[in-house]
């Protein structure tokens, strides 16, 4: 695929004056310069825009304009011009005193083929035998995002991304499902360095992203690759290009466009008064007595979400880049600044300042060296997430402020409190929570340097030795300060300070040798390597009370000062190889093997092989007639591989020590024991989890590549699953490698692009993923319980991980006759308006045995859609995405089983059962506070979190050449952007995106409306 720079600027070259030594009898003369002009075209006589014309052996040159024309002043006597453009073979043009040139560049067929970054190398897209998704820089920067992974939500099949609205918070990424109860995060490789996330990375610094989704593609990374691998290549310079300065930035506002509507004071009072609870009615009356009201309705009606939420919050990003290259060296440098304010009207914010650099040098024809670096400095002020939960649970019947309160009820700020109305200390003014507990600041400095050398020792240059040292240094500082305050009965009598410093120092040293060989129609590429790595961290933490300054422990009460430190260090060694072979560029085979040694486990070494095969059917002679009828490319793929997951605990266990009682005495008891000795030891030697995956794929293009279609079916088994098992005789639990889980699914991608005339082009596309998650083995255990005792989740064989587990409702009892006809209702003294539950086992008794699986938060399917229209200088792009088959737990509603005075969302307040036939889904107001209805974890508190979202709409205008010439610019684009302007969903919350399936204190995800510009000089 051709890559166009779209460079629009036409420059004249610099005038050089050369002083020449003449003969003694002729003196000194001033040389003349000449102007050469010409056109650069391709083999179809189409102009090439942005081709480089440089005087050989210098950096003096120019680029072609929109019509492929150029003009350049050169010194008299110049012999050769170098003409180059990406995707074409470079050409040397002899001047020979000519001033007019018509240059035809030939396509470089190898470069024109899409090149994909794979582990420890690159490969042509047509030669791949495994599913590797590529994301280009434009897709990554299309949205106003904190993290690069946020931008690709809905764009890559098989990759599920769940976002957060908190400033600086990165998304949760799952590649082909959840395969571990410990950690399912993918591995990220940034310019060769292993990192756990890329939230620190500026999206604008990325040149390309490759996602290794299956085990065959990722096996080259062995024990770190079980959850998928994301390869990041940062921006670099291009050979033979003039220095270019670019600016890319935007300023925008964030708005919560879909707020959760809460019950007002009238609705709240009506529910409480209808509950038949005298204590609840007394609280309503107390509000009327203190703050006014009439007819049993308090005058105060506070919407706590409205109090906490800002109308809008700014977000901005600015990037300046410097890129270029000669025939011997390339360089790219950049500086970036990102600033995001939080949507909570408190102190939340995130700021990031970044520096990056990359340079490559051809020291000789055989030796190349290079370096890259990425330095970021982050600062984040974290809002107290409990404020969001408090905003739901707190009643609307008291105000935000009450200046009539004395200092012993409100200090130093006169926040009103619910306790004076009769509420317990469980309830706290949400504004006070945000104000007093919001001074939580974290700072981080991160430095990722890489240096490498590449040697081609033989003249044939078919063998390449490469050595690269990749490093990652992090220094994190956090400080949380809680001042003295009084908020009713909630009193902080002395200030608290919690500080910590954490150092991380990691490195990966890779050494590879690659051999390329072509013998007739056989092509062979063999890579072998050795890698050493180290991960270490150290933390120091201190807490104190009564500090004199909010940033320093010094001066605090010594009796309350504590200190804590901890750290770990792990080493690893690896040997790996990959063999890629093809015959006639039609029959493809790929083999990899990695042996990983680790100090983390007792089992020191693990071995991770893979194999992939492909058949390019469209290149077969028997397909010639079909190709003429529209089949441009058709390939079948199959692959298998094994991966490891070392993101699990490295050991687990405990020892039971005798208490020293009489029964443990060798004198008075039966056992021959010494008090204090260990009499029971339970330890396990954990090892990494292992993933085995089988993948079948199809790649196809039709109608001169205008239509493309890809399909993949995979079966992904996690073995040696680390689960917590119960020891015999109830002697505790222990983590062991005794389970297995399967993720299987289908991924589809279809795209269409076309050009109509010379001015209009368009493209549309979509992707779809169907995913099934199933626990296949838990050793001798029938299930594993997680979550909490009152709101359990259960993983059992044959069902998805982390399924919600409780009672299933079967409507609401509508009248007394229905009560009398049901022995369960009679036995439990139920009333009309109470839930009817399913008697699962049919024994006429409702108990724990009637509980069942009620759904899980992993989506059954995900999808994404995109379109792009271009007309002359205008472009309009839109992206959509959604998920289906997702169940989440509305923890806010369920909290009413503990605290009856909680507020309700308006949907609940407006739809409570009020008489026969009014509803068959909601309980009555009285029933809402009955433990029969709220004390049993049931499907009333679970919600379908399927959604469809308008992900992004972008309108852009690129300035024409006439304007660019006047501004002395190469390119300029101005755009307006709308990110997540609207989401269609049915859950009772701010967003259906909930990371762990429990909606309690979820930060609202805002829409972003921005104005930006991309400028190149």
């Amino acid at each position: 695929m051709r890559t166009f720079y779209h460079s629009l600027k036409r420059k004249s070259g610099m005038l050089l004056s050369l002083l020449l030594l003449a003969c003694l009898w002729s003196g000194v003369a001033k040389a003349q310069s000449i102007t050469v002009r010409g056109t650069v075209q391709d083999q179809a006589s189409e102009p090439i825009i942005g081709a480089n014309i440089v005087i050989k052996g210098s950096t003096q040159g120019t680029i072609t304009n929109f019509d492929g024309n150029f003009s350049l002043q050169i010194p008299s006597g110049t012999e050769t011009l170098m003409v180059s453009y990406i995707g074409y073979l470079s050409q040397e043009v002899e001047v020979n005193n000519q001033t007019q040139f018509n240059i035809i560049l030939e396509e470089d067929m190898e470069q024109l083929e899409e090149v994909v970054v794979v582990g420890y190398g690159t490969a042509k897209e047509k030669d791949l035998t495994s599913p590797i998704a590529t994301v280009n820089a434009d897709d990554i920067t299309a949205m106003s995002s904190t993290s690069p992974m946020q931008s690709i939500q809905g764009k890559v099949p098989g990759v599920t991304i769940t976002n957060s609205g908190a400033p600086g918070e990165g998304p949760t990424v799952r590649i082909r499902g959840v395969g571990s109860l410990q950690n399912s995060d993918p591995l990220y490789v940034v310019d060769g360095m292993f990192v756990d996330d890329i939230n620190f990375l500026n999206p604008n610094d990325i040149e390309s992203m490759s996602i290794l989704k299956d085990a065959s593609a990722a096996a080259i990374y062995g024990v770190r690759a079980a959850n998928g691998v994301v390869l990041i290549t940062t921006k670099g310079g291009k050979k033979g290009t003039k220095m270019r300065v670019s600016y890319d930035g935007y300023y925008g506002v964030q708005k919560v466009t879909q707020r959760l509507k809460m019950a007002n004071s009238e609705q709240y009072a009506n529910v409480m008064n209808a509950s038949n609870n005298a204590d609840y009615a007394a609280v309503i009356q107390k509000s009327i007595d203190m703050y006014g009201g009439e007819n049993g309705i308090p005058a105060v009606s506070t919407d706590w979400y409205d109090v906490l939420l800002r109308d809008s919050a700014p977000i901005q990003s600015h990037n300046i880049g410097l890129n270029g290259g000669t025939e011997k060296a390339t360089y790219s440098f950049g500086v970036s600044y990102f600033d995001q304010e939080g949507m909570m009207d408190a102190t939340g914010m995130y700021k990031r300042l970044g520096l990056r650099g990359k340079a490559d040098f051809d020291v000789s024809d055989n030796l190349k060296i290079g370096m890259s670096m990425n330095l970021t400095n982050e600062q984040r002020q974290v809002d107290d997430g409990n404020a969001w939960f408090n905003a739901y649970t707190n009643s609307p019947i008291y105000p935000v402020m009450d200046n009539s309160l004395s200092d012993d009820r409100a200090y130093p700020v006169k926040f009103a409190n619910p306790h004076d109305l009769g509420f317990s200390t469980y309830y706290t003014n949400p504004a006070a929570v945000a104000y007093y507990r919001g001074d939580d600041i974290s700072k981080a400095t991160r430095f990722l340097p890489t240096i490498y050398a590449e040697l081609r020792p033989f003249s044939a240059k078919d063998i390449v030795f490469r050595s690269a040292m990749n490093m990652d240094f992090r220094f994190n500082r956090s400080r949380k300060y809680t001042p003295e305050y009084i908020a009713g009965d909630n009193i902080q009598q002395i200030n608290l300070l919690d500080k910590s410093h954490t150092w991380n120092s990691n490195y990966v040293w890779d050494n590879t040798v690659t051999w390329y060989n072509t013998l007739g129609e056989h092509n062979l590429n063999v890579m072998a390597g050795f890698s050493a790595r180290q991960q270490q961290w150290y933390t120091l933490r201190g807490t104190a009370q009564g500090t004199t300054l909010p940033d320093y422990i010094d001066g605090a009460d010594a009796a309350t000062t504590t200190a804590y430190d901890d750290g770990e260090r792990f080493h690893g060694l690896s040997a790996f190889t990959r063999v890629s072979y093809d015959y006639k560029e039609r029959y493809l085979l790929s083999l990899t093997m990695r042996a990983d040694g680790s100090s983390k486990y007792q089992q020191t070494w693990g071995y991770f092989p893979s194999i992939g095969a492909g058949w390019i059917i469209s290149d077969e002679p028997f397909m010639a007639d079909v190709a003429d009828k529209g089949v441009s490319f058709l390939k079948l793929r199959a692959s298998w591989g094994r991966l490891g997951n070392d993101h699990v605990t490295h050991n687990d266990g405990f020892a039971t020590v005798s208490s020293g009682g009489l029964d443990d005495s060798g004198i008075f008891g039966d056992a021959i024991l010494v008090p204090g000795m260990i009499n029971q030891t339970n330890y396990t030697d954990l090892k990494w989890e292992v993933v085995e995956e089988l993948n079948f794929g199809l790649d196809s293009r039709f109608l001169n590549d205008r239509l493309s279609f890809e399909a993949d079916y995979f079966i992904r088994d996690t073995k040696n699953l680390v689960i917590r098992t119960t020891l015999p005789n109830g002697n505790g639990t222990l983590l062991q490698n005794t389970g297995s889980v399967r993720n299987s699914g289908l991924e589809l991608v279809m795209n269409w692009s076309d050009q109509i005339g010379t001015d209009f082009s368009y493209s549309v596309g979509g992707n779809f993923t169907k995913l099934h998650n199933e626990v296949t083995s838990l050793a001798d255990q029938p299930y594993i319980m997680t979550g909490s005792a009152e709101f359990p989740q259960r993983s059992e064989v044959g069902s998805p991980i982390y399924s919600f587990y409780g009672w299933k409702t079967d409507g609401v009892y509508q009248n007394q006759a229905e009560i009398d006809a049901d022995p369960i209702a009679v036995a439990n003294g139920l009333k009309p308006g109470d839930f009817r539950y399913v008697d699962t086992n049919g024994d006429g008794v409702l108990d724990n045995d009637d509980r069942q699986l009620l759904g899980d938060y992993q989506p059954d399917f995900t999808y994404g859609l995109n379109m792009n229209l271009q007309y002359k200088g205008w472009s309009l792009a839109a992206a959509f995405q959604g998920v289906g088959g997702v169940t989440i737990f509305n923890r806010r509603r369920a909290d009413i089983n503990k605290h009856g005075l909680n507020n309700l969302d308006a949907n609940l307040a407006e739809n409570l059962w009020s008489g026969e036939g009014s509803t068959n889904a909601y309980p009555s107001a009285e029933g809402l506070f009955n433990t029969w209805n709220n004390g049993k974890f049931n499907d009333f508190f679970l919600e379908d979190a399927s959604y469809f979202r308008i992900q992004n709409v972008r309108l852009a205008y690129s300035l024409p050449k006439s304007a660019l010439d006047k501004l002395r610019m190469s390119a300029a684009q101005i755009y307006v952007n709308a990110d997540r302007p609207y989401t269609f969903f049915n859950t009772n919350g701010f967003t259906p995106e909930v990371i762990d399936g429990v909606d309690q204190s979820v930060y609202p995800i805002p829409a972003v409306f921005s104005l930006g510009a991309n400028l190149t000089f």
Side-chain angles (χ1 to χ4, degrees):
M1 184 179 294
R2 301 183 183 181
T3 304
F4 293 97
Y5 281 118
H6 299 291
S7 301
L8 309 176
K9 186 176 180 182
R10 181 182 181 181
K11 285 186 174 182
S12 59
M14 294 185 302
L15 179 63
L16 298 179
S17 297
L18 302 176
L19 296 177
L20 304 176
L21 291 176
C23 299
L24 292 175
W25 58 85
S26 64
V28 178
K30 186 175 183 179
Q32 299 294 317
S33 63
I34 61 174
T35 300
V36 294
R37 296 178 174 85
T39 302
V40 180
Q41 298 176 321
D42 62 16
Q43 292 167 298
S45 299
E46 293 292 331
I48 297 178
I49 306 168
N52 294 280
I53 300 92
V54 181
I55 299 172
K56 185 177 180 180
S58 77
T59 60
Q60 182 182 347
T62 187
I63 60 175
T64 56
N65 63 16
F66 249 138
D67 300 317
N69 298 325
F70 70 91
S71 175
L72 177 66
Q73 283 185 314
I74 63 174
S76 179
T78 297
E79 296 181 354
T80 308
L81 299 177
M82 295 293 299
V83 184
S84 62
Y85 186 71
I86 297 220
Y88 292 81
L89 297 172
S90 297
Q91 188 176 141
E92 293 189 10
V93 178
E94 301 298 327
V95 177
N96 293 330
N97 296 321
Q98 300 178 75
T99 59
Q100 191 69 36
F101 298 88
N102 184 23
I103 302 167
I104 306 296
L105 292 184
E106 296 181 7
E107 293 179 342
D108 186 339
M109 299 311 297
E110 290 190 4
Q111 287 193 31
L112 284 175
E113 294 187 67
E114 189 81 24
V115 175
V116 177
V117 178
V118 298
Y120 303 101
T122 59
K124 298 176 187 178
E125 184 179 42
K126 69 184 293 288
D127 294 341
L128 296 177
T129 60
S130 55
I132 299 179
T134 59
V135 185
N136 61 43
D138 290 339
D139 286 333
I140 296 172
T141 57
M143 295 184 64
S144 307
S145 302
T146 304
S147 166
M149 297 306 290
Q150 290 177 334
S151 300
I152 69 170
Q153 185 179 36
K155 296 179 180 179
V156 181
V159 179
T160 304
I161 294 176
T162 307
N163 283 317
S164 168
E169 188 76 20
T172 297
V173 180
R174 297 290 179 259
I175 297 177
R176 292 188 165 180
V178 176
S180 173
L181 296 173
Q182 301 294 308
N183 188 305
S184 294
D185 295 332
L187 168 68
Y188 299 89
V189 183
V190 180
D191 289 336
M193 185 62 211
F194 294 0
V195 295
D196 291 332
D197 66 72
I198 53 173
N199 299 329
F200 67 94
L201 198 60
N202 173 25
N204 200 266
D205 289 344
I206 296 176
E207 185 172 276
S208 68
M209 176 188 295
S210 296
I211 303 177
L212 314 184
K213 294 190 291 184
D214 87 322
S216 174
I220 198 70
Y221 289 106
V223 77
R224 298 293 304 274
N227 300 316
V229 181
V230 180
L231 303 180
I232 301 293
T233 302
T234 58
K235 289 181 177 178
K238 301 286 189 301
K239 282 189 174 182
T241 59
K242 297 190 64 177
M243 183 182 72
R244 295 178 181 177
V245 179
S246 62
Y247 166 81
D248 185 351
Y250 61 83
Y251 181 89
V253 293
Q254 305 167 92
K255 292 185 70 70
V256 176
T257 56
Q258 294 166 276
R259 297 190 178 192
L260 175 61
K261 185 179 179 182
M262 298 299 296
N264 57 32
S265 285
E266 180 178 358
Q267 293 171 317
Y268 179 80
N270 288 337
V271 171
M272 293 301 156
N273 289 327
S275 67
N276 268 342
N277 189 309
D279 293 334
Y280 296 171
V283 169
I284 301 298
Q285 186 58 48
K286 186 68 172 178
S287 173
I288 295 173
D289 295 341
M290 289 187 64
Y291 302 115
E294 58 184 5
N295 299 323
I297 308 300
V300 176
S301 187
T302 304
D303 185 332
W304 292 108
Y305 281 129
D306 191 55
V307 171
L308 289 184
L309 280 169
R310 289 173 171 159
D311 290 334
S312 64
I315 183 173
Q316 58 182 312
S317 175
H318 306 281
N319 306 272
I320 297 176
L322 183 69
N323 304 275
T326 67
E327 295 304 315
K328 294 287 187 179
T330 63
Y331 57 88
S332 178
F333 302 97
V335 59
S336 62
Y337 175 74
F338 179 83
D339 188 352
Q340 180 186 19
E341 299 292 329
M343 289 309 304
M344 185 184 290
D345 193 8
T347 54
M349 61 83 183
Y350 173 74
K351 296 181 179 181
R352 179 179 63 220
L353 178 65
L355 295 172
R356 66 168 177 86
K358 181 179 286 189
D360 301 285
F361 305 93
D362 291 338
V363 178
S364 68
D365 289 342
N366 301 93
L367 179 63
K368 180 179 180 180
I369 62 174
M371 59 77 63
S372 67
M373 57 79 67
N374 194 296
L375 174 65
T376 58
N377 192 66
E378 303 171 287
Q379 180 173 334
R380 184 180 179 197
Q381 193 151 7
V382 184
D383 295 319
D384 192 322
N386 289 324
W388 297 116
F389 186 58
N390 289 334
Y392 183 95
T393 59
N394 268 260
S395 163
I397 63 174
Y398 69 97
V400 180
M401 309 294 292
D402 187 349
N403 292 321
S404 68
L405 296 176
S406 60
D407 285 351
D408 63 348
R409 298 301 294 162
Y411 175 83
V413 181
K414 299 299 182 181
F415 286 113
N417 71 81
H419 315 128
D420 292 339
L421 301 181
F423 288 84
S424 70
T425 55
Y426 174 79
Y427 300 94
T428 302
N429 185 321
V433 173
Y435 183 83
Y436 290 128
R437 302 178 190 173
D439 198 2
D440 188 349
I441 298 175
S442 63
K443 298 179 181 180
T445 301
R446 191 162 191 172
F447 181 49
L448 274 75
T450 294
I451 56 174
Y452 79 90
E454 197 172 277
L455 177 65
R456 298 174 183 263
F458 306 111
S459 58
K461 297 185 178 181
D462 55 354
I463 295 181
V464 182
F465 293 91
R466 180 183 173 91
S467 181
M469 174 60 78
N470 312 282
M471 292 158 281
D472 179 12
F473 304 102
R474 283 176 287 171
F475 178 37
N476 299 329
R477 296 89 68 201
S478 66
R479 188 267 293 171
K480 183 173 183 179
Y481 177 75
T482 305
E484 302 175 37
Y485 67 86
I486 298 175
D489 294 337
N490 289 326
I491 301 173
Q492 180 66 47
Q493 295 181 334
I494 188 171
N495 62 49
L496 303 175
L497 177 62
D498 189 332
K499 293 183 66 174
S500 67
H501 287 179
T502 302
W503 294 263
N504 294 75
S505 175
N506 305 329
Y507 73 78
V508 176
W509 182 31
D510 292 325
N511 300 273
T512 61
V513 57
T514 305
W515 176 52
Y516 308 87
N517 185 268
T518 298
L519 182 61
E521 295 181 310
H522 301 271
N523 299 294
L524 185 65
N525 183 326
V526 180
M527 183 274 295
F530 168 82
S531 181
R533 63 189 182 277
Q534 176 180 282
Q535 299 171 264
Q536 62 178 350
W537 61 269
Y538 175 77
T539 187
L540 177 64
R541 179 182 176 188
T543 63
Q545 298 181 11
T547 61
T548 56
L549 294 172
D551 291 313
Y552 301 98
I553 292 178
D554 186 36
D557 182 358
T560 66
T561 302
T562 64
Y564 164 84
D565 68 342
D566 196 6
E568 282 183 324
R569 180 168 63 180
F570 301 111
H571 295 279
L573 294 175
S574 303
F576 47 88
T577 185
R578 176 175 57 229
V579 178
S580 299
Y581 166 80
D582 72 74
Y583 174 61
K584 293 185 176 182
E585 296 187 344
R586 187 185 309 163
Y587 310 106
L588 314 172
L589 180 66
S590 178
L591 303 169
T592 67
M593 168 62 80
R594 181 167 179 129
D596 268 322
S598 174
S599 66
K600 196 171 184 179
Y601 305 104
Q602 296 298 316
Q603 178 181 321
T604 308
W605 286 91
Y607 302 93
F608 307 98
S610 78
I611 182 172
W615 178 25
I616 302 179
I617 306 175
S618 54
D619 286 351
E620 294 287 356
F622 63 79
M623 289 291 292
D625 293 339
V626 179
D628 293 337
K629 296 179 181 179
V631 179
S632 307
F633 180 79
L634 181 62
K635 179 174 69 173
L636 295 178
R637 294 180 279 103
S639 58
W640 172 89
R642 179 181 296 157
L643 306 170
N645 181 18
D646 71 347
H647 278 296
V648 297
T649 306
H650 48 282
N651 55 56
D652 188 49
F654 60 89
T656 302
V657 181
S658 62
S659 63
L662 292 180
D663 289 340
D664 290 330
S665 167
I667 299 175
F668 298 101
D670 295 331
I672 304 176
L673 298 173
V674 178
M677 72 170 289
I678 298 175
N679 58 34
Q680 183 179 351
T681 303
N682 294 281
Y683 288 103
T684 184
D685 294 332
L686 289 177
K687 55 188 176 183
W688 41 71
E689 298 172 331
V690 174
V691 170
E692 290 187 6
E693 183 171 12
L694 186 63
N695 192 99
F696 300 96
L698 165 72
D699 300 326
S700 58
R701 298 193 297 271
F702 307 91
L703 304 174
N704 293 323
D705 294 344
R706 287 179 294 175
L707 175 65
S708 65
F709 175 75
E710 299 174 14
D712 280 279
Y713 176 76
F714 63 90
I715 300 173
R716 186 182 185 94
D717 291 318
T718 301
K719 301 178 180 180
N720 293 341
L721 184 71
V722 176
I723 61 176
R724 188 163 293 281
T725 59
T726 302
L727 295 175
N729 302 319
N731 290 322
T733 62
L734 201 63
L735 289 173
Q736 293 182 314
N737 295 96
T738 56
S740 61
V741 64
R742 168 171 289 185
N743 287 281
S744 58
L746 177 67
E747 299 169 355
L748 304 174
V749 183
M750 181 177 288
N751 291 290
W752 169 272
S753 62
D754 198 8
Q755 176 106 15
I756 300 177
T758 58
D759 295 329
F760 181 74
S761 63
Y762 69 97
S763 64
V764 293
N767 67 81
F768 175 85
T769 302
K770 181 71 173 70
L771 183 67
H772 177 70
N773 176 272
E774 179 182 343
V775 178
T776 53
S777 173
L778 294 173
D780 297 328
Q781 297 185 120
Y783 56 82
I784 298 174
M785 300 299 291
T786 52
S788 63
E790 54 194 346
F791 307 121
Q793 291 172 267
R794 175 160 155 161
S795 302
E796 66 178 47
V797 175
S799 299
I801 289 177
Y802 300 129
S803 296
F804 297 108
Y805 185 67
W807 287 269
K808 185 175 181 58
T809 59
D810 185 25
V812 175
Y813 293 106
Q814 297 293 325
N815 51 50
Q816 189 60 42
E818 292 185 0
I819 298 286
D820 295 339
D822 188 344
I824 292 178
V826 173
N828 289 276
L830 303 185
K831 299 179 179 179
D834 286 332
F835 283 135
R836 177 191 291 111
Y837 292 108
V838 175
D839 182 9
T840 305
N841 58 12
D843 63 356
V845 177
L846 195 76
D847 54 21
N848 287 342
D849 293 337
D850 294 307
R851 292 182 295 176
Q852 57 182 284
L853 301 181
L854 301 174
D856 66 284
Y857 66 87
Q858 299 180 68
D860 292 338
F861 61 90
T862 64
Y863 57 93
L865 304 168
N866 64 82
M867 71 156 208
N868 192 300
L869 309 176
Q870 290 188 327
Y871 178 71
K872 294 185 176 180
W874 291 93
S875 65
L876 174 65
F880 312 87
Q881 61 95 201
V883 304
V886 183
T887 300
I888 65 172
F889 170 37
N890 190 333
R891 177 67 174 78
R892 296 184 308 271
R893 278 188 175 181
D895 191 67
I896 204 167
N897 80 320
K898 290 183 177 180
H899 309 281
L901 285 168
N902 284 6
N903 196 12
L904 303 83
D905 55 81
N907 174 276
L908 179 57
E910 293 168 357
N911 289 286
L912 290 173
W913 186 88
S914 57
E916 185 172 352
S918 58
T919 178
N920 198 37
Y922 293 78
S924 65
E926 182 178 358
L928 183 65
F929 301 96
N930 185 337
T931 56
W932 172 263
N933 300 293
N934 64 43
K936 298 182 185 300
F937 183 39
N938 61 66
D939 59 355
F940 175 73
F941 300 110
L942 300 177
E943 299 176 344
D944 181 3
S946 303
Y947 70 86
F948 173 75
R949 172 179 290 151
I950 303 173
Q951 183 78 342
N952 173 255
V953 179
R954 182 186 182 102
L955 177 65
Y957 178 70
S958 298
L959 271 63
K961 179 180 180 300
S962 57
L964 294 172
D965 288 342
K966 293 178 182 179
L967 296 171
R968 301 182 63 82
M969 299 172 64
S970 298
Q973 185 184 77
I974 302 171
Y975 62 86
V976 290
N977 222 17
D979 299 325
R980 299 179 295 269
Y982 196 82
T983 304
F984 299 88
F985 64 96
N986 294 316
T987 60
N988 293 285
F990 283 94
T991 174
E993 286 193 80
V994 179
I995 291 174
D996 58 0
V998 179
D999 188 357
Q1000 180 173 356
S1001 297
V1002 175
Y1003 204 107
I1005 300 177
V1008 181
F1009 304 94
S1010 59
L1011 172 66
N1014 301 321
L1015 312 174
T1016 304
F1017 300 88

